[in-house]
Amino acid sequence: MSDEEQPPGTKPARAMGKEITMNALQEWGEEVEDGAVYGVTLRRVRTESPSGDLLTVASSPGYVHYKTCKVRSLRAGTLEKLVENLLVEYQGSDPGYVPTFLSTYRAFTSPEKVLELLLDRRLEKPGDKEPATPGSPIPDTPCVQRVVRGVLQTWLERHPQDFRDSPQCLQIISSYLSQDSRENPSQLLRLVRSLEDETDQDSSPKDWTSITRPSEGDCDTSGNTTCLLSYPPQDVAEQLTLIDVDLFQKLQSCHCLGSIWSQRDKKEHRHVAPSVRATVAQFNAVTACVTASVLSDIQMKPQMRAKVLEKWISIAQYCRFLRNFSSLRAILSALQSNSIYRLKRTWAAVSRDNLNIFHKLSAIFSDENNHEISREILTKDEIPLRRTNSARNEPRPLQRSASQVRSTRPAQGTVPYLGTFLTDLVMLDTALPDNVEGGLINFEKRRKEYEVLAKIQKLQLTCRHYVLTPKPDILQAFYTHRQLTEDQSYRISRTIEPPADSCPNSPRIRRKLTKRFSSIGEVCRSL
């Protein structure tokens, strides 16, 4: 980075401050070096007023002094240049570089290769105090080795699963640290030892009940779904959220990358992205549970079947208050599936209040303006849900003034519907090339992908605010529900209400939205 200080301005601070804000950044162009392409930006920053400034007018609020900084950011490069730039930008002028690289590198290389290049600093050694600049070789000096250890610590702390999946990398780091006697890397060693101890433990999502889902032949027609619906809706929603929180916290954001997730259907990649597959499997399980509970009893009267729909609408409403948008969408997806949507006599018996709630919940996932509503709702702060033992078991937000909410409201967790992020990342992967001219890795693509991954990672951090207690009876009732295939569900639906048995009172939900809901099922079934 090079600095060019400009002369003091001639406008008061307020006016100049506005001007600086409006023109703080200016794209300058590109600089091409061997194996790398850098974007150049001119950045205007405030500086301290020069001493002895005689231009200041006593009656004025003061003048702003600023300088123009030339900032370079890596846009494309060889793998060697990308790894070297980790050391340049660690606590450097491009704070987004290191987290972007560590979150996306699996799309173009392996942790073993990154570690090999990071630790191999067998280059000519200039003076210890000579600063490294973007594009220059990184020498092996005590200062650089401290930066290497800093990068390793950041990597171990923020992406420990990389090392659980590749335990040989821990051995390489341990060997590297044992040979480094210049400083005491005790904190880094503790991280390595901790992860080595975890390699023998199973870090997969919890099996809350240690129950294996039964096969279809082992379930009777009513199954245990009736038992599940005998519990209060809030309790059921909390247990679904408990499962979803665990899955979302264990999610590896790199598994969501379009180049990785889009390979799931290939036979040789059947085991890729296991953390995403686990989330999809849970989504399917919730959808299957809803469908089976509505359709399993063929002899049920429309009024009683409508009560089942109302119970699921209530559970969905509690999921919304718990900000569990994964199970919320799974429930809505089942209720809007063809096999349930077509039950017009059943929907005609659903109360108006419940239908209104159903429509409001469905509107959250409208695909208008690129799912604007569901995207915005993830970032909103809301009043948390208060438990209630009322007979109706309806969600009751805490009633507080706006000032009380801002000052006393506890932080809330959020479990998003992952499908929106997966779609964004697949579209980015399709639209942007992996490599640019000269075969250089397109790091601008990785920056755009990281913008999506950073949102996932931020939401994962919020999940630590959930305080939920497992209830084995409810979890067992959920895990042992009967599952129906799509064909079975539709055949049973036609038996319950034959095609000629029409009624105009099914909910008027846009078919476009219903189609979007059913698409996740098609993706899941292809796994």
Side-chain angles (χ1 to χ4, degrees):
M1 178 176 70
S2 60
D3 299 343
E4 179 186 351
E5 187 167 339
Q6 303 294 328
T10 58
K11 296 182 180 181
R14 183 177 300 175
M16 182 59 71
K18 181 177 180 180
E19 180 178 331
I20 290 176
T21 301
M22 293 174 61
N23 303 293
L25 292 174
Q26 180 181 351
E27 293 291 334
W28 188 254
E30 289 186 345
E31 292 182 359
V32 180
E33 296 181 0
D34 184 26
V37 178
Y38 295 90
V40 180
T41 303
L42 299 183
R43 180 179 299 167
R44 303 178 72 183
V45 296
R46 294 175 182 267
T47 63
E48 296 293 334
S49 299
S51 59
D53 186 0
L54 302 178
L55 297 176
T56 303
V57 181
S59 61
S60 70
Y63 291 84
V64 174
H65 297 265
Y66 60 94
K67 62 182 179 180
T68 300
C69 303
K70 173 185 171 183
V71 181
R72 304 204 314 173
S73 61
L74 190 61
R75 290 184 173 178
T78 61
L79 179 58
E80 290 77 9
K81 286 292 183 182
L82 264 58
V83 174
E84 283 190 354
N85 207 51
L86 287 172
L87 306 183
V88 174
E89 297 299 353
Y90 181 74
Q91 297 181 339
S93 61
D94 186 0
Y97 183 83
V98 173
T100 298
F101 181 93
L102 294 179
S103 296
T104 63
Y105 75 88
R106 281 182 174 267
F108 52 85
T109 189
S110 66
E112 293 84 359
K113 186 62 178 178
V114 172
L115 198 57
E116 175 189 344
L117 293 172
L118 186 62
L119 300 183
D120 187 13
R121 305 262 55 87
R122 299 167 189 165
L123 301 175
E124 185 179 352
K125 299 182 180 181
D128 283 359
K129 296 184 178 180
E130 182 175 330
T133 57
S136 63
I138 307 300
D140 186 10
T141 68
C143 179
V144 169
Q145 291 300 334
R146 285 193 292 272
V147 175
V148 169
R149 288 192 291 274
V151 172
L152 288 174
Q153 183 169 333
T154 300
W155 191 0
L156 286 161
E157 289 176 341
R158 298 186 181 178
H159 302 275
Q161 193 62 40
D162 289 2
F163 300 92
R164 297 188 186 105
D165 294 341
S166 304
Q168 62 271 28
C169 288
L170 291 175
Q171 299 174 7
I172 296 172
I173 296 176
S174 182
S175 176
Y176 165 77
L177 294 176
S178 65
Q179 298 171 10
D180 187 0
S181 59
R182 285 170 290 193
E183 286 190 14
N184 180 19
S186 57
Q187 186 175 2
L188 191 52
L189 269 176
R190 282 195 296 269
L191 276 172
V192 173
R193 296 289 182 262
S194 175
L195 284 171
E196 285 177 339
D197 293 340
E198 289 181 15
T199 54
D200 296 332
Q201 300 177 6
D202 184 10
S203 60
S204 60
K206 298 177 183 177
D207 180 2
W208 295 104
T209 57
S210 300
I211 296 175
T212 303
R213 290 186 180 88
S215 61
E216 293 179 12
D218 295 334
C219 296
D220 57 33
T221 55
S222 59
N224 288 309
T225 48
T226 301
C227 295
L228 179 64
L229 294 183
S230 68
Y231 294 99
Q234 182 170 351
D235 290 348
V236 176
E238 287 179 353
Q239 296 308 295
L240 294 179
T241 302
L242 181 76
I243 301 170
D244 289 332
V245 166
D246 181 60
L247 288 169
F248 187 53
Q249 287 181 309
K250 299 289 177 61
L251 176 75
Q252 286 184 257
S253 58
C254 66
H255 289 170
C256 300
L257 289 169
S259 59
I260 296 176
W261 178 239
S262 62
Q263 302 297 312
R264 66 190 181 279
D265 292 333
K266 296 183 178 179
K267 186 176 181 180
E268 63 273 21
H269 294 144
R270 65 180 63 179
H271 299 300
V272 302
S275 62
V276 179
R277 290 177 184 271
T279 298
V280 172
Q282 172 62 15
F283 185 99
N284 282 348
V286 174
T287 301
C289 184
V290 176
T291 302
S293 64
V294 175
L295 300 177
S296 58
D297 187 353
I298 298 178
Q299 303 300 323
M300 187 180 292
K301 300 294 184 182
Q303 292 77 11
M304 294 303 298
R305 202 179 307 278
K307 293 297 182 182
V308 176
L309 293 182
E310 290 178 351
K311 193 69 175 280
W312 280 114
I313 291 171
S314 182
I315 294 171
Q317 189 179 22
Y318 274 106
C319 286
R320 168 64 185 90
F321 274 87
L322 289 166
R323 293 182 63 81
N324 178 4
F325 297 100
S326 183
S327 284
L328 170 59
R329 179 147 189 182
I331 294 170
L332 295 176
S333 178
L335 296 181
Q336 296 195 41
S337 65
N338 287 335
S339 57
I340 295 179
Y341 176 84
R342 62 174 299 279
L343 299 178
K344 298 180 179 181
R345 296 191 179 279
T346 299
W347 283 104
V350 175
S351 71
R352 180 177 300 179
D353 287 345
N354 277 286
L355 282 177
N356 288 336
I357 293 172
F358 180 55
H359 283 294
K360 289 179 180 178
L361 295 175
S362 299
I364 293 174
F365 299 103
S366 168
D367 57 1
E368 291 183 357
N369 297 321
N370 194 20
H371 303 275
E372 180 180 11
I373 296 177
S374 61
R375 292 178 190 276
E376 287 183 353
I377 208 168
L378 292 177
T379 61
K380 287 183 178 179
D381 290 330
E382 298 176 316
I383 300 176
L385 177 69
R386 179 179 65 186
R387 285 197 63 89
T388 174
N389 294 319
S390 66
R392 296 180 66 186
N393 286 299
E394 294 177 350
R396 293 184 180 182
L398 296 175
Q399 300 298 319
R400 300 176 183 172
S401 66
S403 59
Q404 286 177 321
V405 167
R406 285 192 296 269
S407 61
T408 64
R409 180 172 59 211
Q412 274 191 290
T414 299
V415 180
Y417 167 61
L418 197 60
T420 303
F421 294 114
L422 293 175
T423 301
D424 291 345
L425 289 164
V426 169
M427 291 178 66
L428 279 174
D429 182 61
T430 303
L432 301 175
D434 291 331
N435 301 90
V436 296
E437 186 177 355
L440 302 180
I441 297 170
N442 182 4
F443 199 72
E444 282 298 290
K445 173 178 180 175
R446 306 309 165 191
R447 291 182 190 272
K448 292 184 181 299
E449 289 177 327
Y450 179 67
E451 291 177 5
V452 180
L453 297 183
K455 295 176 183 177
I456 296 175
Q457 294 167 3
K458 183 178 180 180
L459 291 172
Q460 285 178 306
L461 292 176
T462 71
C463 286
R464 59 191 171 187
H465 299 304
Y466 281 106
V467 182
L468 299 169
T469 303
K471 296 185 177 180
D473 291 346
I474 299 178
L475 290 169
Q476 180 175 1
F478 170 71
Y479 277 126
T480 56
H481 67 76
R482 180 190 183 190
Q483 294 193 27
L484 301 172
T485 66
E486 185 175 1
D487 288 342
Q488 288 175 328
S489 299
Y490 195 68
R491 285 200 301 270
I492 294 173
S493 176
R494 288 169 62 91
T495 301
I496 294 171
E497 290 190 24
D501 191 12
S502 61
C503 177
N505 295 97
S506 62
R508 294 187 177 181
I509 304 165
R510 288 178 302 163
R511 301 302 294 163
K512 185 177 182 182
L513 182 58
T514 305
K515 184 177 180 181
R516 294 288 298 181
F517 282 155
S518 62
S519 64
I520 187 65
E522 296 172 2
V523 171
C524 299
R525 284 191 297 275
S526 67
L527 297 180

